[in-house]
Amino acid sequence: MISDIGQEFGQYLIQLTSELFLRGEQPRSLSEIERSIREMLLKVGQFLLTTWLAMQRSKYPDETVECIYCGGQAEYQYQRPGTLLTIIGQVMYKRAYYACAYCRRGHYPLDLRLGLRVGKMSAELESLSGMTGTQIPFEKSSQLFEALTLISLSDHSIAKATQAMGSEVQIQETEWKELSKDVDWLQTQERLTERPKRLYGSMDAAKVHIRRKNEDPWKDLKIGAWFTTTAKPPQNPDENWKIEAQDMSYYCDILPAQEFGDLLWATGCQHQAHLADELIFLGDGAEWIWNLVSHYYPNAIQIVDWFHAAEYFAPIANAAFPDEDQRQEWISQIRSYLWLGELDAVIHECQYFCNHPQASTAARKAFTYFTNNQHRMNYPTYRQKGYQIGSGTIESACKQIVTQRLKVSGAIWELDNAVKTAKARAAWLNGDWQSLSSRRELLPLAA
Ligand SMILES: [Zn+2]
């Protein structure tokens, strides 16, 4: 059997080789040779895949098998052809078809065993094309994917593949949510001896353009992150602030805060956030963030991101001082108050400008902000304990997920597609792509 195949393969190779050399007797460049060989290799791959699948098909199929739907007896009918879309192109194959007399449904044991998705993308093709879809707009992904693999897919197909991974993230999150409410599971977690010593959480939101009639089309995509870091906080505000976060893990959704809280808790349980010796949350001043943190993690240390806080000064200075030097001097003074945790002085400065003819709007905003958040701005203490005080990490999540992918070239999204694409991109950034793909390998099943 194997030697027959070998012979057949040999002949096919000879045929392909002579075609190759006849066609390109005098190639113009190495590129032309490379392209021709790549095309040939795809054909070789298709031959091997077809043969491999044919080998999986028994010459004498069982007369009956158990029906996958009702457990009754399904009878062999005939060999039915199907088409697979794979990373090496389209491949036709045949497999035994069984029909059940009881529930009147039919199935293909081979498809189930290997996860063959007839007429649809294979799991491998879906995973790889979806990966390009998380990087750049679908139309561009389609061009890039074809250039790299010689497999042509429509932008719609790439979008579907990307969003399929997003759906997989949603399924996983649902499992996590169930676990996070399961008392037995939580108790097992508590018995674990290895607990995180110092874990960081952070949350933020960015606007995504959603197709909507008669309502605001800009929806908040809320993003959260869990991470650890061994980096020391900077010693002065003008130092280099690169946080080297480790084990970064993002989650995101377009949901009201309360429902997003379920996801915060569920992903937190996966990181044992509730069991960490020290749990530190970084965020901007947004109320929903601190409400969620206080609700789920009442013992967490809450820190307002230094950069968010420091951003409040420039608008006041710009409105209050026509002179550039004066402006810089004032900003530098108030920034150092903030850095040293002298919140009374910061608040006092803001208050001073609350009745200023030009600066009052910015000053009032800042006054409220610093008054409400002063207990989250004890920066000298945080620095002393070695806590990070700038959430460059989550800022960059917004940039990486929203700005770089969801906001490109004025895209307007369907809500569901935006959420799934964002989740797929987060999964890719988290390094979870491979494990998610594996979850989908045997999925076609009872289709
Ligand atoms: Zn049945």
Side-chain angles (χ1 to χ4, degrees):
M1 173 85 176
I2 302 279
S3 68
D4 287 351
I5 295 170
Q7 249 178 19
E8 211 182 313
F9 185 49
Q11 268 158 15
Y12 187 57
L13 274 186
I14 292 169
Q15 184 201 327
L16 286 177
T17 314
S18 51
E19 276 172 22
L20 184 74
F21 290 135
L22 270 179
R23 188 156 28 106
E25 232 169 313
Q26 283 199 312
R28 276 178 296 121
S29 62
L30 174 61
S31 298
E32 190 186 322
I33 302 178
E34 285 179 277
R35 269 196 298 271
S36 302
I37 293 179
R38 282 173 72 199
E39 281 162 16
M40 175 181 157
L41 287 176
L42 273 189
K43 287 184 190 160
V44 171
Q46 286 158 18
F47 177 92
L48 292 174
L49 179 56
T50 313
T51 313
W52 201 331
L53 288 173
M55 281 169 69
Q56 300 302 309
R57 190 179 60 186
S58 164
K59 241 184 182 168
Y60 308 101
D62 294 335
E63 272 176 33
T64 61
V65 296
E66 194 183 306
C67 170
I68 57 161
Y69 300 105
C70 71
Q73 216 175 47
E75 271 175 45
Y76 172 70
Q77 304 295 308
Y78 49 89
Q79 297 287 334
R80 215 170 181 182
T83 308
L84 299 174
L85 308 174
T86 76
I87 188 62
I88 39 181
Q90 252 190 37
V91 165
M92 298 274 292
Y93 75 116
K94 278 185 171 173
R95 75 285 200 223
Y97 176 62
Y98 288 83
C100 172
Y102 305 99
C103 72
R104 303 193 168 274
R105 299 176 75 175
H107 79 281
Y108 306 92
L110 183 65
D111 290 9
L112 292 179
R113 182 157 70 79
L114 296 179
L116 305 180
R117 311 166 177 191
V118 174
K120 293 183 188 144
M121 277 190 222
S122 71
E124 187 69 5
L125 182 59
E126 181 188 77
S127 166
L128 293 170
S129 64
M131 205 188 280
T132 50
T134 64
Q135 305 303 305
I136 46 175
F138 299 126
E139 189 196 311
K140 292 273 171 218
S141 313
S142 157
Q143 294 164 14
L144 176 67
F145 193 73
E146 183 167 356
L148 292 175
T149 63
L150 304 182
I151 302 297
S152 160
L153 293 172
S154 66
D155 12 331
H156 179 68
S157 301
I158 303 241
K160 261 179 81 177
T162 309
Q163 286 149 13
M165 297 301 272
S167 305
E168 196 58 39
V169 175
Q170 286 175 324
I171 294 169
Q172 195 171 46
E173 286 171 354
T174 307
E175 293 166 9
W176 289 344
K177 283 180 193 169
E178 278 162 19
L179 281 179
S180 73
K181 289 172 191 152
D182 179 335
V183 181
D184 291 338
W185 184 81
L186 288 171
Q187 278 173 354
T188 341
Q189 290 288 301
E190 269 175 47
R191 283 194 288 272
L192 296 175
T193 43
E194 281 263 332
R195 293 167 175 216
K197 296 227 165 345
R198 182 178 286 179
L199 181 70
Y200 288 88
S202 68
M203 284 184 272
D204 202 355
K207 300 274 181 210
V208 178
H209 200 174
I210 302 293
R211 195 178 305 284
R212 277 285 176 274
K213 268 186 196 155
N214 310 322
E215 63 172 295
D216 182 8
W218 290 95
K219 300 276 171 217
D220 266 342
L221 180 84
K222 296 189 172 72
I223 304 179
W226 297 106
F227 62 99
T228 58
T229 175
T230 48
K232 295 267 173 292
Q235 288 314 301
N236 71 68
D238 301 315
E239 245 179 67
N240 185 11
W241 278 75
K242 205 169 152 27
I243 298 183
E244 269 154 41
Q246 285 130 24
D247 314 316
M248 173 63 72
S249 169
Y250 299 117
Y251 54 94
C252 58
D253 216 321
I254 298 179
L255 286 174
Q258 204 184 344
E259 287 162 57
F260 192 70
D262 285 343
L263 191 57
L264 162 72
W265 176 249
T267 55
C269 285
Q270 291 296 314
H271 290 86
Q272 298 178 285
H274 57 304
L275 302 172
D277 292 344
E278 276 181 312
L279 179 61
I280 300 153
F281 262 93
L282 285 160
D284 59 16
E287 231 181 298
W288 67 269
I289 294 178
W290 301 118
N291 288 343
L292 286 181
V293 173
S294 307
H295 178 77
Y296 286 98
Y297 304 103
N299 298 322
I301 298 142
Q302 304 184 357
I303 301 179
V304 162
D305 182 284
W306 159 261
F307 292 101
H308 277 284
E311 264 172 15
Y312 278 77
F313 303 139
I316 303 176
N318 290 342
F321 304 105
D323 178 65
E324 176 67 27
D325 288 344
Q326 268 185 318
R327 231 181 266 168
Q328 289 311 327
E329 196 185 328
W330 184 79
I331 291 180
S332 142
Q333 179 62 56
I334 196 166
R335 252 166 73 101
S336 80
Y337 288 149
L338 182 64
W339 184 257
L340 298 171
E342 291 167 18
L343 265 299
D344 287 347
V346 173
I347 292 166
H348 182 82
E349 280 294 320
C350 297
Q351 197 177 17
Y352 177 83
F353 287 102
C354 278
N355 292 317
H356 187 279
Q358 278 86 40
S360 67
T361 314
R364 280 183 193 159
K365 240 174 99 182
F367 175 77
T368 314
Y369 179 81
F370 288 107
T371 309
N372 292 344
N373 288 296
Q374 49 182 320
H375 56 294
R376 304 188 178 107
M377 299 181 178
N378 196 350
Y379 297 120
T381 310
Y382 307 147
R383 283 200 303 278
Q384 200 197 344
K385 296 194 171 179
Y387 300 161
Q388 291 298 333
I389 59 174
S391 59
T393 314
I394 192 76
E395 288 284 281
S396 112
C398 285
K399 223 174 273 163
Q400 293 200 69
I401 295 173
V402 180
T403 320
Q404 289 175 3
R405 184 60 191 89
L406 296 184
K407 259 189 192 162
V408 276
S409 56
I412 303 177
W413 294 83
E414 298 299 334
L415 180 68
D416 189 51
N417 294 348
V419 169
K420 285 177 178 164
T421 303
K423 283 179 189 286
R425 184 157 170 92
W428 182 79
L429 291 169
N430 293 347
D432 293 340
W433 199 264
Q434 204 44 54
S435 69
L436 278 172
S437 302
S438 319
R439 284 170 57 104
R440 294 187 58 79
E441 276 178 19
L442 292 172
L443 260 191
L445 306 182

